[in-house]
Structures are given as structure tokens and as C-alpha cells.
Amino acid sequence: MRTQVGIVGAGPAGLLLSHLLHLQGIDSVVLERRSESYVLHRVRAGLLEQGTTDLLREAGLGARLDREGLVHEGVLLRFDRATHRIPLTEMTGKTVTVYGQQEVVKDIIAARRVAGGKVYFEVDDVSVAGTSGEAPVLRAVIDGTPVEIECDFVAGCDGFHGICRDAMPAGVRKVFEHEYPFAWLGILAKVAPSTDELIYAFHDNGFALHSLRSPDVSRLYLQVDPSESIDNWSDERIWGELRNRLGTDDGWTLAEGPIFEKGITAMRSFVVEPMQHGRLFLAGDAAHIVPPTGAKGLNLAAADIKVLAEAFTSFYSRGSRDGLDGYSETCLRRVWRAQDFSYWMTSLLHRAPEDTDGVLARLQLSRLRYVADSPAAAKTLAENYVGYTPA
Ligand code: RFL
Ligand code: PHB
């Protein structure tokens, strides 16, 4: 087999890249380890920046997004049992949209099918070779048959646990990593959201987030210890803790319903530099992980892919290597901005286990009051939350 761009991973990054390349007449092959059903049902992100929804729309992927996506013009901070609204759109002119990551993935897979795109699921033993030279090769086992795919370029879109990052020579890559002393317990529940806008709550027992997926599905999260087992969290305990951490003095109540999905996710910040070597380009979670508090992971993946698709387009249409050569530097500026914002949001809202004398909690409360009171401080949160493109 031969293709122009060999893509490892059919998450949002890999699928979007293959779709954008197709629109420019560039051939690609996507190799995915998991089944199509697994990829379609993996519950993850939910909040899309305007830059991401604009990109999806421009790529012809906006029809269902425009019908079903919930457009938000503000976000709520809750602390001291009161609510404070940050008017995102008033402050930045931009909106954010609630639309589940698996819906984005579903829309792109459908578009790839219509176009006869080559997306292979349940592919085993993917390996990458020759990316330092002129003729990279992807090897894999498809339907029990070993295959070799000659490529002009390889895009490593295989997430945090993928194999492409390690295909970069060890002497070339540098990893930056920070682990947090907490994790998120996330649920999906069949109940109408008790809020129109996302609520980020700071509480003595820890952080809580009320998000949503649709008019009748709520998505909620609780800060827990990273060693926690989901078996210790009955539905009653989860709702009790959510009621407690999200509680207010103004009569607001949290509607409860059947929980149909729950899981615990560790939190880390991770960046590999550079994001490219030779003919190998890393994008999305393969190159960087952010803690979910800033809702940046999927949006960063989409931003990488926009830059990479444009770089391949100018290479194939005009023979220019400038975009490809500048890929890592362009992406890393946005990645580090998002890392800083995600770290800041995480530190603002989570209870630190080491804070035994309450000094940190008092500093956090002071910072939260400042963000709620000062338009300058609120605007800093707002312009990063809706997606900031560094100069
Ligand atoms: P993915 O989605 O992990 O896809 C990588 C794909 O590569 C496949 N793969 C392989 N295929 C072949 N051979 C191999 N050896 C392979 N190894 C791996 C995998 O099976 C997979 O299909 O990475 P991608 O495409 O870079 O997308 C990144 C996003 O998924 C991620 O950043 C977001 O989900 C992060 N995130 C959020 N991001 C947001 O922008 N907004 C949010 O509100 C938000 N909330 C979240 C989140 C992530 C969460 N979790 C569970 C980590 C909330 C949570 C709880
Ligand atoms: C989600 O809806 O899953 C979500 C929203 C905002 C975040 C993280 C996750 O910051």
C-alpha cells in the first residue's frame, strides 16, 4: 500500500486530519487499534471553543453540531455557597459550545465513510519506521494480514498511550510532565441539567463541576483522591457529595437521575518537545495532555490539526516546506498557553491535600473573589477559556 500521509489513531485528531486532507485532495490512511464501536462510545470531552466549531463548520461538519450543540455565552463560578457569572461573550465576543466529543467523532467518521476514506479499525501491532529519512513506512496487521504502507509523512495522532512519540529518537525529544495530587470522578446521568451554564465549584471537600450534554443528559464531576476506587462510590454517595459541594444559600437544587456512566481519570500536564522530527508529526494527546479543568484537550488537538493540515496543503500544492518546518513552534505556543491556563484553573478550584492549615484555601478564595469582582481578572479567565491564539 502507498499513501501520502499515514495517520496512526482514529480519535478526533487523526479523523479530522484525514478529513481535512481529503478536502484538499491529499490521500491518507488511518490505522486505529480499537473497534469502531469503542471509538464511537468513548465518553470524554464536551466543551468546544469557537475556533473548534468554526473549523468543523468550514470543513462541512457543522450540520448536526448546529442543530444539537448548546451555545453558551457565560460560565459560572460557585464558592462560599454563592454563584458568580463570567460573561464570556460580552467580554470576548466569542461563545463556547457543548457538544460531546463522541458526537464530533461520529460526524467525522460518517463524512469519511461518504468520501470512501481509508479508516481501518481493530488494527494490530502498528509500528513506524524510517521517519528520519525520506521514505517512512507504517507496518501493521489488518484483518490478520501483515501490511506495509509507504508514506510521504506520518502523523502520530495516537493519544497519550500511543507508539508514535517513542518513534522519535530519544536524544531529540524532551518531556515536560507534572502530576496533580487529585483525580476527577465523572458521571453521565439521565436528568435535565440543573443549570443553563457550566458551574465550576470550589468547596472545602474539593472541586465539583456541573456540565451537560443535552437537554436531558447531565455531566458532573467531583475531585477525588487519585488512589480512589470507583467501587467506593455508590450513586447515593456521588449525589450526596455533588449536592454538598454545589449547594447554595439561594434555594438552588440539584436534580438527580439514573447514572449510566461513571469513571475516574487521573490529572496531569504533559508536553513533548519538539512535536515533529523528520517526517513524523505528533498531534493532540500524543504530544500533550492538560488537566481537564480548562476544557482544552480536544480544542488543542483540533488546533494542532488545523496547522498540520494547512502545512501539508502548502507542501503538496506549492512545494513549500515552511508550514511543516514551523509546525512544532506554532503549535507549542498555543499548547503552553493552554497548559498555563489549565494549571491556573486547576490550582484555583481544587483543594490541595497538603493544605493542612488552610493557607492555600484562603489564597484560592481571595483569588476567586478577585476574579468575580474585577472585570480585568474576569477577562483574563474569559479570553483563555474561550480559546486564546498567541501572537
Ligand atoms: P485520543 O482521543 O486519545 O485518540 C487517540 C487514538 O489513537 C488510538 N491508538 C492507536 N491506534 C493504533 N495503534 C496504536 N498503537 C494506538 N495507540 C492508540 C486510540 O485507540 C485512540 O482512538 O487522542 P486525540 O485524537 O489527540 O484527542 C484528544 C482528546 O481525546 C482529549 O484531549 C480530550 O478528550 C480531553 N478532554 C477534554 N478536552 C476538551 O477540549 N474539552 C473538555 O471538556 C474535555 N474534557 C477530556 C475531558 C478528557 C477526559 N478524559 C477521560 C481524559 C474530560 C475527561 C474526563
Ligand atoms: C465536560 O462537559 O465533559 C467538561 C466540561 C468542562 C470541562 C471539562 C469537562 O472543563
Side-chain angles (χ1 to χ4, degrees):
M1 239 195 273
R2 206 205 118 72
T3 190
Q4 289 172 298
V5 182
I7 301 173
V8 186
L15 289 166
L16 184 58
L17 179 62
S18 79
H19 177 75
L20 295 179
L21 293 179
H22 161 74
L23 296 180
Q24 299 299 327
I26 301 166
D27 187 63
S28 70
V29 172
V30 182
L31 302 179
E32 166 61 47
R33 177 171 63 173
R34 303 284 191 170
S35 69
E36 182 170 356
S37 160
Y38 183 94
V39 167
L40 281 169
H41 293 102
R42 193 163 39 195
V43 176
R44 284 192 168 176
L47 196 82
L48 306 181
E49 294 172 359
Q50 188 167 317
T52 305
T53 49
D54 286 348
L55 177 65
L56 294 172
R57 253 180 232 119
E58 282 160 22
L61 298 164
R64 202 162 63 92
L65 169 71
D66 284 335
R67 278 198 312 277
E68 297 176 20
L70 305 168
V71 177
H72 286 191
E73 298 192 345
V75 64
L76 306 173
L77 295 178
R78 191 167 280 180
F79 54 92
D80 280 346
R81 300 184 62 79
T83 309
H84 309 266
R85 182 170 189 267
I86 310 289
L88 298 173
T89 306
E90 195 184 303
M91 287 182 156
T92 66
K94 292 185 188 162
T95 59
V96 291
T97 301
V98 171
Y99 190 65
Q101 178 168 324
Q102 70 268 49
E103 307 306 327
V104 175
V105 164
K106 195 170 169 183
D107 294 343
I108 314 177
I109 289 180
R112 294 278 51 221
R113 289 268 173 264
V114 169
K118 284 167 273 182
V119 183
Y120 296 94
F121 291 95
E122 297 179 74
V123 174
D124 293 320
D125 302 335
V126 178
S127 66
V128 189
T131 50
S132 299
E134 294 296 305
V137 175
L138 282 178
R139 295 196 181 88
V141 176
I142 303 180
D143 285 335
T145 309
V147 292
E148 210 170 273
I149 307 172
E150 293 169 23
C151 316
D152 295 340
F153 299 98
V154 171
C157 303
D158 49 348
F160 184 63
H161 300 287
I163 48 110
C164 289
R165 198 167 56 239
D166 290 343
M168 263 191 192
V172 168
R173 61 189 138 97
K174 186 159 171 46
V175 160
F176 300 86
E177 192 163 17
H178 177 76
E179 294 218 13
Y180 298 81
F182 21 79
W184 277 18
L185 185 161
I187 62 160
L188 279 171
K190 182 97 183 112
V191 58
S194 305
T195 179
D196 292 332
E197 296 179 335
L198 272 66
I199 307 171
Y200 289 78
F202 175 75
H203 186 274
D204 250 355
N205 285 13
F207 170 72
L209 169 60
H210 191 331
S211 181
L212 48 144
R213 281 295 177 272
S214 70
D216 49 17
V217 173
S218 298
R219 177 83 165 137
L220 297 113
Y221 296 96
L222 285 169
Q223 173 189 348
V224 296
D225 191 87
S227 64
E228 267 295 348
S229 161
I230 196 74
D231 300 335
N232 295 332
W233 288 83
S234 65
D235 292 5
E236 296 69 42
R237 182 175 176 203
I238 292 172
W239 285 118
E241 199 54 39
L242 285 167
R243 269 198 311 274
N244 188 14
R245 296 188 196 181
L246 290 165
T248 66
D249 290 331
D250 62 9
W252 179 86
T253 55
L254 177 64
E256 300 173 19
I259 295 176
F260 60 92
E261 154 84 35
K262 59 180 169 182
I264 292 181
T265 312
M267 292 168 78
R268 61 157 64 79
S269 299
F270 175 97
V271 180
V272 64
E273 290 187 3
M275 287 169 57
Q276 72 192 90
H277 178 72
R279 288 180 169 248
L280 172 65
F281 294 80
L282 301 177
D285 280 16
H288 40 72
I289 297 282
V290 283
T293 328
K296 290 286 166 252
L298 172 58
N299 294 298
L300 278 181
D304 289 351
I305 294 305
K306 183 171 194 279
V307 175
L308 189 54
E310 282 168 5
F312 282 135
T313 301
S314 59
F315 175 80
Y316 283 111
S317 63
R318 296 187 277 108
S320 165
R321 284 205 67 117
D322 294 353
L324 291 173
D325 291 344
Y327 170 73
S328 182
E329 207 184 313
T330 304
C331 290
L332 283 170
R333 264 199 292 269
R334 187 184 196 98
V335 167
W336 280 110
R337 180 86 295 287
Q339 288 290 0
D340 174 52
F341 176 64
S342 304
Y343 179 88
W344 182 83
M345 279 285 275
T346 302
S347 320
L348 177 69
L349 291 160
H350 291 70
R351 281 293 278 129
E354 73 272 19
D355 184 31
T356 44
D357 55 7
V359 174
L360 292 180
R362 278 165 181 75
L363 292 171
Q364 286 169 281
L365 267 177
S366 170
R367 213 192 289 164
L368 280 161
R369 289 186 188 122
Y370 180 51
V371 171
D373 288 350
S374 152
K379 192 165 179 181
T380 294
L381 187 155
E383 73 177 355
N384 282 278
Y385 191 78
V386 299
Y388 186 78
T389 305

